[in-house]
Amino acid sequence: MSQLSQRRPDSAGSEPAPLRHNSRTVRVFAVVAGLCVSNLYYVIVLLPEIAASHHRPSQDFAHLLSLTQGGYTLGLLFVVPLGDRVDRRRLCTLLLAAACLVCAAVPWAPAGAYPVLFVLLGLCSVTAMVLVPWGADLADDTARGRVVGTIMTGLILGTLLCRTVAGALAQLASWRLVYGTAAVLMALCVAALYWGLPSGQATDPRRPRDTEGESYLHLLGSLPRILLRTPHVGERSLYGALAFGAFSAFWAVLPLHLQARPFSFGPAEIGLFALLGGAGVVGASAAGRLADRGLQTPTTLAAFATVVATFLVLGAWPGSLALLIVGTVVLDMGIQVAHITNQSVIYAGNPAMRSRITTTYMVMYFVGGTLGSAVAATVWGRGGNWGTTCLVGAGTGACALAVAALRAGLGRLRAGRTADVRP
């Protein structure tokens, strides 16, 4: 029996059978999600090559990552909620077509057009965040977690592998080939979603019940209330923003640090550092198991303590390649542990608001990332060094650690008082 059901001609009003986690549709979603999110991170390893092609210093283009992340944040805020109101297949194909056009324009555009193009590229790349709830809606209760997990695995692999592939292509040919290839891949993704899905899964008949009759503006208006009136969402959104801020500060400047002496690495060698982020997948798995055991608070404290310590060590020994390799692995693992733990907390309740909770959390997450990369690029461009950048990351992680420790202490204090008043 086929894993994917087809809609019968005489049952136009019925829903397709639920997806299974190993179905072809889920695999398509995972690949498309990975390719879409890759558009955000090519620039990390291509930055020195882009600057050289325009005969300008690298710091003149260090802001491109923060611009791309800023565009992605705008897409999370204004585009992702549309998934609760419009057909998701049409929304995804429109975003992918726009991303294809932007990727095709980047190699031939003048440097003055880069700010607009990279903001648009970030905005169009939110397709991945539309695919995740789409897959969750099409799955039944017994397979939903595995369906979402499969799609997120594709997204994480795209984040890891894109920098390595981009570095290799730039080393063999040119950075322009990377974005030309990305344009072709986006066009293939349009074909995969629009024509490649079985008819029973090509449409998205399901809608969250709590949004029936609500306007788009009403959905957007509910986001601040979710952030302010749902304490665990607000707290974990703050942790996510600080964690991704530290992570983005690190990766915004790392290519420039590796390009300089004593390393003098090219784009291919810089791209290989992205593979070290594979440790983040291991950290995510461990964080999920710890969260299932109710250990979210100690896991959060340990993750941020690890981030702070790693930045301090890297800043103290800037010329050690061995420490940089180990530090990259440990830092990526700590950030992923914090991220997955945050998600386990915010999705524990409020099932009727999960789409908007996703938007709220991810907007804060990428606001933090945008600010982190922007601050690091500014510090570097004004004569800062690797040690100064590591202090920015350590300070960001320390803020998260202090808030988490304070919240944990207050929680124990309240628990003690409750125990004291019991008869």
Side-chain angles (χ1 to χ4, degrees), residues 41 156 159 163 236 238-251 277 279-285 287 299-308 310-311 327-343 361 365 369 393-394 396-398 400:
Y41 299 109
I156 293 172
T159 302
R163 288 168 279 183
R236 291 291 165 168
L238 175 61
Y239 295 159
L242 292 170
F244 198 48
F247 180 82
S248 297
F250 177 80
W251 279 102
V281 177
V282 178
S285 176
T299 302
T300 301
L301 292 170
F304 284 119
T306 300
V307 169
V308 173
T310 302
F311 270 116
T328 302
V329 170
V330 174
L331 184 64
D332 277 20
M333 185 179 296
I335 296 298
Q336 284 298 327
V337 166
H339 183 44
I340 299 302
T341 304
N342 290 339
Q343 290 180 312
Y361 175 78
Y365 193 73
T396 305

Side-chain angles (χ1 to χ4, degrees), residues 244-402:
F244 198 48
F247 180 82
S248 297
F250 177 80
W251 279 102
V253 175
L254 179 63
L256 305 178
H257 179 52
L258 292 172
Q259 182 194 28
R261 300 177 67 180
F263 306 115
S264 302
F265 284 172
E269 293 91 346
I270 295 172
L272 288 174
F273 262 76
L275 294 179
L276 300 176
V281 177
V282 178
S285 176
R289 291 194 298 268
L290 291 171
D292 289 340
R293 295 169 57 186
L295 299 174
Q296 291 94 334
T297 297
T299 302
T300 301
L301 292 170
F304 284 119
T306 300
V307 169
V308 173
T310 302
F311 270 116
L312 292 177
V313 171
L314 292 178
W317 288 277
S320 173
L321 179 60
L323 276 179
L324 190 57
I325 291 173
V326 174
T328 302
V329 170
V330 174
L331 184 64
D332 277 20
M333 185 179 296
I335 296 298
Q336 284 298 327
V337 166
H339 183 44
I340 299 302
T341 304
N342 290 339
Q343 290 180 312
S344 72
V345 173
I346 64 175
Y347 294 139
N350 306 302
M353 299 190 298
R354 282 178 181 154
S355 293
R356 284 169 287 172
I357 286 174
T358 299
T359 295
T360 301
Y361 175 78
M362 292 304 298
V363 165
M364 290 289 292
Y365 193 73
F366 274 89
V367 165
T370 301
L371 293 176
S373 59
V375 170
T378 300
V379 169
W380 185 275
R382 292 183 177 179
N385 54 31
W386 179 246
T388 308
T389 303
C390 288
L391 285 177
V392 172
T396 305
C399 289
L401 179 62

Side-chain angles (χ1 to χ4, degrees), residues 2 15 28 30 76 80 104 106 121 137 145 160 173 187 256-257 259 261 292 298 304 371 374 379 389 391 412 420:
S2 176
E15 295 179 352
V28 169
L76 287 169
V80 171
V106 166
L121 184 59
D137 281 355
L160 296 177
L256 305 178
H257 179 52
Q259 182 194 28
R261 300 177 67 180
D292 289 340
F304 284 119
L371 293 176
V379 169
T389 303
L391 285 177
R412 286 195 297 268
D420 289 341

Side-chain angles (χ1 to χ4, degrees), residues 90 119 284:
R90 293 179 182 175
V119 168

